[in-house]
Amino acid sequence: MNLPSAEHLHEIFYCSLLAPGESPRTVAGILAQSRQANADKGITGLLIFDGLHFLQQVEGPRDQVQGLMGRITADPRHVGIRVIFEGPLPARRSNVFEMGYSEPDEDDVLYERMVNEGEAGLLRFLAQRPSYDIRR
Ligand SMILES: Cc1cc2nc3c(=O)[nH]c(=O)nc-3n(C[C@H](O)[C@H](O)[C@H](O)COP(=O)(O)O)c2cc1C
């Protein structure tokens, strides 16, 4: 993987919902599409899906991360995209892009809380990493 220097590293953390009528099976396609594309752009991070909600942190060169976020925002496979935290990053939090699954969580209150927490929500999300079923 091409991991450029730490210059202008940037991260975005957001949540969204699987679009109504969209099969959860579409997520396998997103992962297949993303793994190589992210590696090519020096983007690393973590995408978690629980059957309904997505939570994703992406990090890398600022232009690449913002360009990717533009495409993700326009993607009709999910709705209700809300950026929880965005900012410059002194050093990567991860050296790979990973996708994982978490227990289904119907409780939208948890997502509301995370949206309101900003960076603290991101840190909580990353701290929960051991509980996710990560597929590489
Ligand atoms: C929840 C979600 C997460 C996604 N994550 C990524 C990602 O990390 N990297 C990526 O290249 N595409 C990701 N995609 C797919 C992009 O939205 C988009 O389809 C892809 O960048 C190709 O865009 P293009 O067809 O405009 O070239 C994601 C889509 C969804 C719905």
Side-chain angles (χ1 to χ4, degrees):
M1 167 161 8
N2 168 33
L3 294 179
S5 76
E7 244 173 86
H8 303 306
L9 272 182
H10 193 79
E11 72 177 332
I12 300 179
F13 176 52
Y14 73 90
C15 65
S16 64
L17 290 165
L18 187 69
E22 193 72 60
S23 166
R25 284 192 296 267
T26 196
V27 176
I30 292 172
L31 179 60
Q33 180 182 26
S34 302
R35 193 178 274 127
Q36 189 60 49
N38 288 358
D40 292 346
K41 296 178 176 71
I43 290 175
T44 52
L46 181 62
L47 170 65
I48 294 295
F49 181 61
D50 72 355
L52 179 62
H53 305 90
F54 294 102
L55 281 167
Q56 186 175 22
Q57 182 257 358
V58 287
E59 59 183 23
R62 188 177 56 209
D63 292 354
Q64 295 289 2
V65 168
Q66 290 178 336
L68 171 62
M69 195 60 205
R71 292 193 298 280
I72 289 176
T73 303
D75 194 317
R77 292 174 287 188
H78 62 167
V79 295
I81 298 137
R82 286 190 290 176
V83 173
I84 301 170
F85 179 74
E86 166 166 16
L89 193 61
R92 281 179 196 271
R93 300 185 193 271
S94 168
N95 58 9
V96 287
F97 173 70
E98 291 176 320
M99 154 101 214
Y101 295 88
S102 70
E103 287 299 307
D105 197 343
E106 300 296 325
D107 186 0
D108 288 330
V109 173
L110 290 177
Y111 290 85
E112 284 304 323
R113 205 175 90 197
M114 204 168 257
V115 168
N116 292 324
E117 279 177 349
E119 189 174 17
L122 169 58
L123 297 179
R124 205 153 56 79
F125 167 73
L126 295 174
Q128 285 164 9
R129 187 185 202 101
S131 74
Y132 304 136
D133 178 13
I134 304 273
R135 313 278 167 84
R136 292 215 178 160

